[in-house]
Amino acid sequence: MARSSTPPTPPKPPRRGPLAGLRVIDASRVLAGPYLAMLLGDLGADVIKVEKPDGGDQSRGWGPPFVGPAESRVSAYFVSANRNKRSIVLDLKSPADRQIFRKLVSTADVLVENFLPAEWRKLGFRSVRFPQNPRLVHASVSGYGSESPDADRPAYDVILQAESGLMSLTGTRIEGVDGDAEPVRVGIAVIDFLSALYGLSGTLAALVERGITGKGKKVEVSMIDAGTAFLSYAAQSWLADGRQPPALGSRHPNLAPYQALPARDGWFLVGVGSPDQWHRFCQAIEQPGLESDPRFATNADRVRHRAELDELLAGIFRQRTAAEWDRVMREHRIPAAAPARVGESVEKARERGQLLPLPSGLYGDLFTVGAPFLFDGSRLQPFRPAPGLGEHTAEVLKELERLSGPRPRP
């Protein structure tokens, strides 16, 4: 077959997103701050990551696994939180580099940092605002809040999961036996990600307000506050009756059945959240008589008689495989699924179009799981890979020479 003489259509450049034109200085490290800054980059902002000269962001070394050739290898952890950024090396302990940092901030729309308050003051940044840039939105992520007695305590996610109360709800405890089982952390750094998402919401709100008033402000999110806010209905339940919500494994304190059940070949999860779903669930498991059983007639009844219902359902679900239950539950429109492993979930993301190629960089050709934003039905494509340490220092400094003071905004 003859080849077409029509030249191929060149690929369209990646759409930069609704924040294109905004400049963000990311002076944070590890996860909560960098993830917040990366999301701003995903939305189109130009994000400049400021890193210390002796190794940069410490999460660069948080592996294995690592990616890239030996001379520039970096942890997969770092790659996950630093796409769509440029990297500049500055030693903020040096007066000259601090002056460069101040000039960078004077050109920025957003500053993201997660220094301990005492560290921040020691660097000479004492005021809430940067007077040379009154339009700046300053997003600060801290462990315990700048005005807390614990303001300068270092904080990592595992500690905040414990202190926020989240760990008291994860795993399984034997009723009436306090502290019987080892506390269990959520398998990812959920407090870091919550802090980033709350920080993103506050930052975007401050940018909207700035569009009205012309003035920026400081947006502060403490990770302990984020964790406690995340308790949501568990905290509200405690406020209602003063009882510690139990750690029920996969079960829900207010709904039943809403949990993992043992199929013939593994676990299978179901979630029943309404009378109509309970009716259809009873039909699906071929137990219509359960609806008239006074122990299980209403959700409140089922929660009170959870142990009896668990035993009954375990015997039923062991009779079929997880795949068979999946087919049955889909037919009856019951929320249900077998638990996926990380690799299975990532491959499903590929099918949905959420697994995105990063532009080639120092670490080779990589894919990443994109943010869940869709705009008019389209995903925003990454426009930069995670940067090498100081990869863009000369480029950014050259740009800085051309800029003088805050840029005008429409």
Side-chain angles (χ1 to χ4, degrees):
M1 180 182 294
R3 292 183 179 179
S4 169
S5 59
T6 304
T9 302
K12 293 181 180 179
R15 181 173 170 228
R16 284 289 295 271
L19 298 187
L22 292 184
R23 182 188 292 264
V24 176
I25 306 303
D26 176 16
S28 65
R29 63 273 201 205
V30 184
L31 188 54
Y35 198 82
L36 163 54
M38 183 184 74
L39 291 173
L40 291 168
D42 286 349
L43 290 168
D46 175 23
V47 181
I48 299 170
K49 184 176 180 70
V50 178
E51 300 189 71
K52 58 185 180 179
D54 55 341
D57 187 323
Q58 57 262 50
S59 71
R60 286 181 176 273
W62 284 14
F66 294 95
V67 298
E71 65 274 12
S72 61
R73 75 173 193 164
V74 72
S75 71
Y77 189 110
F78 176 83
V79 170
S80 75
N82 289 283
R83 65 176 174 256
N84 292 334
K85 298 182 184 181
R86 297 187 286 170
S87 171
I88 177 172
V89 165
L90 292 177
D91 181 1
L92 295 185
K93 296 178 182 178
S94 155
D97 280 9
R98 281 202 302 275
Q99 186 59 31
I100 294 173
F101 179 73
R102 287 182 184 278
K103 190 171 182 181
L104 266 178
V105 172
S106 76
T107 71
D109 299 284
V110 177
L111 167 67
V112 178
E113 54 84 14
N114 61 355
F115 283 86
L116 291 173
E119 287 183 303
W120 194 238
R121 290 192 299 271
K122 190 174 181 180
L123 291 172
F125 306 117
R126 295 180 178 274
S127 62
V128 171
R129 302 284 179 84
F130 282 76
Q132 72 273 30
N133 187 357
R135 293 176 55 82
L136 181 74
V137 173
H138 176 182
S140 177
V141 180
S142 63
Y144 299 95
S146 61
E147 301 303 319
S148 163
D150 291 326
D152 290 310
R153 280 181 63 195
Y156 274 146
D157 180 90
V158 65
I159 307 305
L160 291 157
Q161 284 197 35
E163 287 189 288
S164 69
L166 183 59
M167 275 192 189
S168 74
L169 304 175
T170 54
T172 304
R173 308 283 190 276
I174 297 176
E175 189 172 353
V177 181
D178 186 33
D180 176 77
E182 177 186 350
V184 177
R185 67 180 284 270
V186 177
I188 56 148
V190 65
I191 304 293
D192 279 281
F193 292 119
L194 287 170
S195 301
L197 292 170
Y198 283 125
L200 176 67
S201 299
T203 299
L204 294 177
L207 286 169
V208 170
E209 184 183 51
R210 188 188 74 171
I212 300 168
T213 66
K215 295 180 180 179
K217 62 174 45 176
K218 183 176 182 180
V219 177
E220 183 173 355
V221 172
S222 81
M223 297 171 74
I224 191 68
D225 283 357
T228 308
F230 192 53
L231 294 180
S232 183
Y233 57 79
Q236 201 65 52
S237 295
W238 184 88
L239 290 169
D241 63 17
R243 290 188 293 179
Q244 163 67 30
L248 297 170
S250 64
R251 295 167 180 81
H252 195 294
N254 309 111
L255 295 171
Y258 194 100
Q259 64 202 78
L261 292 163
R264 185 190 301 167
D265 59 348
W267 292 100
F268 189 75
L269 286 96
V270 298
V272 174
S274 71
D276 182 58
Q277 287 179 352
W278 174 242
H279 167 74
R280 287 187 274 111
F281 178 78
C282 292
Q283 301 299 316
I285 64 174
E286 300 175 357
Q287 298 288 326
L290 287 183
E291 288 188 86
S292 58
D293 189 319
R295 297 173 300 171
F296 312 132
T298 69
N299 179 71
D301 294 326
R302 295 192 294 275
V303 169
R304 280 193 292 268
H305 297 278
R306 185 193 302 276
E308 297 157 84
L309 182 62
D310 284 357
E311 184 178 2
L312 189 153
L313 293 179
I316 293 170
F317 271 77
R318 285 192 180 100
Q319 297 172 18
R320 298 186 184 184
T321 65
E324 291 171 326
W325 282 121
D326 186 64
R327 176 182 56 77
V328 169
M329 294 298 159
R330 285 173 184 263
E331 289 174 355
H332 288 81
R333 295 181 295 112
I334 304 298
R341 294 180 179 273
V342 170
E344 294 168 330
S345 175
V346 170
E347 288 308 313
K348 288 288 187 182
R350 188 193 301 275
E351 294 173 11
R352 297 192 304 271
Q354 191 183 3
L355 202 61
L356 306 176
L358 289 169
S360 293
L362 294 178
Y363 314 120
D365 296 326
L366 300 173
F367 280 84
T368 191
V369 177
F373 310 121
L374 276 80
F375 292 91
D376 290 336
S378 298
R379 295 188 188 277
L380 300 175
Q381 301 295 313
F383 52 88
R384 290 186 186 275
L389 177 59
E391 180 182 352
H392 305 94
T393 299
E395 174 183 301
V396 171
L397 291 180
K398 189 174 181 180
E399 289 176 1
L400 201 55
E401 290 177 1
R402 299 197 303 266
L403 298 173
S404 56
R407 293 166 296 157
R409 297 281 173 237

